[in-house]
Amino acid sequence: MPDLLLDECLRWHARRDPKKKALIFFGRSWSYYELNDRVNRLANGFLSLGIGHGSNVAVLSHNTNTVLESCFALARI
């Protein structure tokens, strides 16, 4: 895999191995395709709230899959 940014890494894996497990949390798993889709929807939600490039964002949460999804979504925008 070439040197990629965080968002590019997820997209690359979603194209290369869409059905491969990307995330397992408390017995629930998400494929790279599913994770990429969730990140896309979350990034679009952030954009609709006016969060964009250069915005300061804090994520206050327990250690869950949502934290990882938020990090990917914020990297995407």
Side-chain angles (χ1 to χ4, degrees):
M1 177 173 56
D3 291 336
L4 299 174
L5 299 175
L6 181 64
D7 178 52
E8 293 169 335
C9 184
L10 176 58
R11 290 177 195 250
W12 186 83
H13 280 287
R15 283 191 306 269
R16 186 170 183 260
D17 295 312
K19 293 181 181 179
K20 188 174 180 180
K21 288 182 183 178
L23 178 63
I24 302 171
F25 188 77
F26 279 108
R28 170 77 164 91
S29 66
W30 292 266
S31 68
Y32 279 105
Y33 176 84
E34 291 169 317
L35 180 59
N36 189 58
D37 182 60
R38 291 173 63 87
V39 167
N40 276 336
R41 288 186 281 129
L42 186 55
N44 286 326
F46 285 150
L47 289 169
S48 72
L49 293 172
I51 298 169
H53 182 76
S55 295
N56 294 317
V57 177
V59 177
L60 180 61
S61 177
H62 295 284
N63 189 17
T64 66
N65 59 295
T66 308
V67 174
L68 182 66
E69 292 167 1
S70 297
C71 290
F72 275 111
L74 292 166
R76 183 156 294 175
I77 60 174

